[in-house]
Amino acid sequence: MPELTLNTIPIKAAQAIRQAGFLAVLTGAGISVESGIPTFRDAQTGLWAKFDPRELATPAAFARNPKLVWDWYAWRRELVNRAKPNAGHRAIAELERRTPRFLLITQNVDGLHRRAGNRKLVELHGSIDRVKCSREGTIVTHWQPTDNVPLCASCGAPLRPDVVWFEEMLPGGALTAAEEAARHCDVLLVVGTSAEVYPAAALPSQAQAAGATVVEINPNRTPLSASADYTLRGPAGWVLPALIAALER
Ligand code: BV8
């Protein structure tokens, strides 16, 4: 697989995407970097710098210190609500408009793909904008303002973000749709993920085993880089618009 510099999009990669009857896209935190949202791997900023996100995004962390976890999500929600979709998000919305069959599979919880215009998408890890009862699982849209963790009005359990934490099962429907797309797509475009979090990280090998062409977009090498058919080494906000331009040639 040819590793490419910023100024070349391989003709064959562009051709594969242009000719794809069914294009699937898998995104990770990297696609939101150019919207100002830190990835899980980047050091967190400010008061959260001393915390490892993978230690906070767990049921055990929430059970141990619900307020710490609730406040961490409130800080991220604020960051996300101030952020705007970037050129990479907009390019993926354009790909949906251009492709007969399309599915966007995102690991991100920031909602920026939907704000950029994608509609055919599954959110494997939930959404930071939704809140649910930690006991009943019901989605809650209003709660009493409090300096502590708000409690469920019907059962009194603490509320929590409606995201999938480590060691939690993914929403069945979303994972099934993602695996179905991996097995049937012609091309899987993998953008901005370290390809280390399962079961999402298994999707590219499932797609390749079913005969799909796998194209990776990432400024850094990942465990996927060695097996991807094409690796476009650069930031999503630059490479994806260049890919759209290459589709026009
Ligand atoms: C589960 C929501 C069953 C919360 C998240 C082996 C097999 C199967 C499972 C496991 C296994 N080993 C361990 C597990 C369990 C675990 C797992 O995979 N652990 C990892 C650490 C090994 N998986 C789970 O627990 C999953 N559930 O398997 O259930 C089960 C049940 C019980 C016991 C065991 C299994 C649940 C996983 C979901 C966790 N929740 N998010 C929240 O967001 O707060 S995951 C979270 O981390 C994010 O959602 C994100 O998906 C993930 C980080 O991954 P990335 O998105 O890739 O982001 P990252 O920061 O890592 O990388 C960013 C990339 O962007 C980098 O490559 C960088 O180079 C690139 N980049 C930077 N700038 C740019 C860029 N790219 C493009 N443009 C740029 N400008």
Side-chain angles (χ1 to χ4, degrees):
M1 76 288 122
E3 291 216 1
L4 297 145
T5 58
L6 268 182
N7 56 8
T8 54
I9 300 284
I11 303 292
K12 285 198 181 317
Q15 263 171 353
I17 291 169
R18 188 188 304 115
Q19 290 160 5
F22 185 177
L23 171 65
V25 181
L26 170 66
T27 61
I31 189 147
S32 296
V33 164
E34 289 151 278
S35 295
I37 298 178
T39 70
F40 265 58
R41 298 240 174 300
D42 296 349
Q44 297 207 97
T45 54
L47 75 161
W48 299 105
K50 57 181 180 292
F51 292 99
D52 174 351
R54 283 164 298 170
E55 298 303 313
L56 288 174
T58 65
F62 186 71
R64 200 171 39 245
N65 189 339
K67 178 151 173 45
L68 178 74
V69 174
W70 177 269
D71 288 351
W72 178 51
Y73 279 91
W75 171 72
R76 287 175 63 196
R77 197 174 293 119
E78 181 51 38
L79 209 59
V80 163
N81 292 339
R82 280 203 311 269
K84 290 196 177 20
N86 64 58
H89 294 106
R90 290 193 296 274
I92 292 178
E94 175 62 21
L95 284 173
E96 174 170 334
R97 285 188 287 271
R98 287 169 179 243
T99 315
R101 274 186 77 191
F102 178 92
L103 184 66
L104 169 57
I105 305 158
T106 188
Q107 301 173 82
N108 299 340
V109 298
D110 59 29
L112 288 178
H113 285 303
R114 206 177 291 280
R115 286 170 53 192
N118 279 107
R119 290 296 172 267
K120 296 177 183 171
L121 83 154
V122 288
E123 293 171 319
L124 286 183
H125 297 157
S127 166
I128 199 165
D129 261 347
R130 280 195 310 269
V131 167
K132 67 182 179 185
C133 169
S134 59
R135 182 181 297 146
E136 299 164 320
T138 39
I139 298 297
V140 176
T141 50
H142 295 86
W143 52 85
Q144 288 299 327
T146 167
D147 288 342
N148 285 312
V149 180
L151 304 178
C152 171
S154 72
C155 78
L159 300 182
R160 57 162 282 184
D162 185 24
V163 298
V164 179
W165 282 332
F166 288 100
E167 285 97 59
E168 289 189 321
M169 303 299 280
L170 275 62
L175 183 57
T176 303
E179 291 174 336
E180 188 72 9
R183 279 197 300 273
H184 294 93
C185 64
D186 301 304
V187 174
L188 176 66
L189 189 54
V190 184
V191 186
T193 180
S194 57
E196 290 177 356
V197 175
Y198 286 81
L203 293 170
S205 55
Q206 290 169 9
Q208 218 160 33
T213 299
V214 172
V215 180
E216 179 186 45
I217 295 177
N218 197 314
N220 304 306
R221 282 189 69 74
T222 72
L224 173 62
S225 301
S227 57
D229 296 284
Y230 298 94
T231 292
L232 312 186
R233 188 68 67 228
W238 191 99
V239 173
L240 280 164
L243 187 57
I244 295 282
L247 296 182
E248 259 122 32
R249 279 187 215 125

